[in-house]
Amino acid sequence: MHAAFFLLLGASLVRYLLRHPWEGRSPWIIGLSAALAALYVLGPVLGSRATPRRLAWLGTVVAVWMVLVLLAPSFAWCAVPLFYTGLRTLPPRAALVLVALLTAFVVAAQLKLAHGGFDPNLVIAPPAVAAIATAVFVQAERLAARQRALIDDLIRTRRELAATERREGTLAERQRLSMEIHDTLAQSLSSQQMLLQAADRTWDADPATARRHVRTAESIAERSLAEARRFVHDLAPADLAEGGGLEQALRALAARESAGFQVDGTPVPLPDRVQSALLRIAQGALANVREHAEATSAALTLTYLDDQVVLDITDDGRGFAPTDTPRGDQGVRGHGLPAMRARVRQLGGTLTVESAPGEGTVLSASIPLETP
């Protein structure tokens, strides 16, 4: 629009000088053209808001242009860029008044240039151009306002989404920590409590057995301390942190719990989170066997298939009906099976439980080798 203004101003001055080689008002025309060009250059410096300085500048530009049109009607069409300047600067009603005033000057100038008599086109064309210019500007402003509103909505939506993701991340981390604590420290403390209670009952009658219970509780406490320190460090299972991998960690766990352990299939490297989840599931399952199943034997089986890894925990305990909630999953200790299912579900796997009263229990956790 600025380029169009200077192009029209220069073309109008050239036309005037060609039609009027030199006459008394020529210096005035040239001086006013230069003044109008200089004033127009100052416009962007003053900004587009309707400040007193901006309004004074606009009034001066319009006044100089009107004088030019009165002296030389050739400058009339410089009004088109001024339409947009007024529409961009003034409130809507004031801008329309200015556009009407400029249009009237253009019509008068065109009629003055028409030496051959009245021409309807000279009366219709300037208002039509003014109407088109105004409509284009108004539509552009509406589109710009709509775009700004959409951008604001997008920014607000992104902020709300980020806040929601942070909340979900916090809740997921809290759930994960609760499962970690349940499968390690809570289970270990429960085992220590049972062993110390058994030692207290047999302290007088069978001191050797009582001391054995105390030593076992001490060993469990040592493992719990290692787990607690690992939580502080990086929340990885202590058995895995020792560097032997999942198989060694499961073998050590089975030895502590007096359970069997075997590996089927060809071992493949597993992601850390898969190893951690399977180890936690094994810890929780064996803790439930020890505390609730009254089993004489238990076994861990780690099976590598083509597309998944499967961990089976079996016992010959009293079993339960899978539709019922085991005692180990009630009340405060309500994180057992739900925690295992949550771990497996986060990795895209499945957890199945096969059991019946008096027939033992088989718990199977299968996780795809390509986890989501």
Side-chain angles (χ1 to χ4, degrees), residues 39-361:
L39 285 171
Y40 195 88
V41 169
L42 293 176
V45 178
L46 299 176
S48 59
R49 297 179 59 185
T51 61
R53 293 177 59 187
R54 175 78 176 181
L55 296 176
W57 168 83
L58 179 60
T60 305
V61 169
V62 172
V64 173
W65 173 82
M66 288 180 176
V67 174
L68 265 176
V69 173
L70 292 176
L71 295 177
S74 302
F75 289 86
W77 286 109
C78 293
V80 176
L82 295 181
F83 289 162
Y84 287 99
T85 302
L87 290 168
R88 190 168 55 249
T89 303
L90 299 174
R93 292 185 180 180
L96 292 178
V97 172
L98 177 61
V99 170
L101 178 62
L102 297 178
T103 303
F105 265 75
V106 174
V107 171
Q110 294 303 305
L111 291 176
K112 187 176 180 180
L113 290 174
H115 301 292
F118 177 77
D119 186 351
N121 286 334
L122 300 180
V123 179
I124 297 175
V129 172
I132 293 173
T134 303
V136 169
F137 177 84
V138 171
Q139 181 65 15
E141 285 293 300
R142 288 177 179 174
L143 291 176
R146 189 178 305 168
Q147 186 178 27
R148 286 193 296 270
L150 290 175
I151 292 174
D152 292 340
D153 289 341
L154 176 61
I155 293 174
R156 183 171 56 255
T157 301
R158 290 181 61 182
R159 289 174 179 172
E160 293 175 354
L161 178 60
T164 300
E165 290 177 347
R166 285 195 296 270
R167 288 193 297 269
E168 291 179 351
T170 301
L171 293 175
E173 183 65 11
R174 291 179 62 182
Q175 182 183 14
R176 188 179 72 85
L177 288 175
S178 68
M179 292 188 298
E180 294 283 348
I181 293 172
H182 171 268
D183 291 342
T184 55
L185 300 181
Q187 297 282 13
S188 298
L189 290 172
S190 176
S191 299
Q192 294 172 51
Q193 182 185 30
M194 293 177 61
L195 288 167
L196 292 176
Q197 288 174 347
D200 181 63
R201 289 193 299 268
T202 60
W203 192 266
D204 295 327
D206 190 355
T209 301
R211 282 192 291 271
R212 187 170 61 254
H213 290 328
V214 172
R215 285 194 295 270
T216 304
E218 179 185 9
S219 175
I220 294 175
E222 182 180 358
R223 300 298 306 175
S224 299
L225 180 60
E227 289 285 357
R229 288 171 176 169
R230 183 54 54 186
F231 284 151
V232 175
H233 184 261
D234 59 2
L235 296 179
D239 289 329
L240 290 176
E242 294 174 357
L246 178 61
E247 295 176 27
Q248 182 174 327
L250 290 176
R251 185 173 285 107
L253 174 63
R256 290 197 302 271
E257 298 290 344
S258 300
F261 175 71
Q262 69 177 23
V263 178
D264 293 335
T266 304
V268 296
L270 298 175
D272 291 342
R273 56 179 182 159
V274 173
Q275 297 186 56
S276 177
L278 291 176
L279 179 57
R280 294 303 192 203
I281 290 172
Q283 289 173 336
L286 290 180
N288 285 337
V289 171
R290 180 180 64 246
E291 298 175 21
H292 309 294
E294 299 178 0
T296 58
S297 65
L300 299 176
T301 303
L302 183 64
T303 305
Y304 292 93
L305 302 177
D306 292 337
D307 58 348
Q308 62 183 344
V309 58
V310 181
L311 176 65
D312 295 315
I313 303 97
T314 62
D315 69 77
D316 59 356
R318 59 180 181 174
F320 65 97
T323 55
D324 298 334
T325 301
R327 288 182 300 169
D329 290 305
Q330 293 176 341
V332 177
R333 304 184 52 74
H335 289 282
L337 287 176
M340 297 179 193
R341 290 193 176 94
R343 288 182 187 279
V344 173
R345 185 168 55 249
Q346 289 173 358
L347 297 172
T350 57
L351 181 76
T352 58
V353 179
E354 298 179 4
S355 183
E359 297 184 7
T361 301

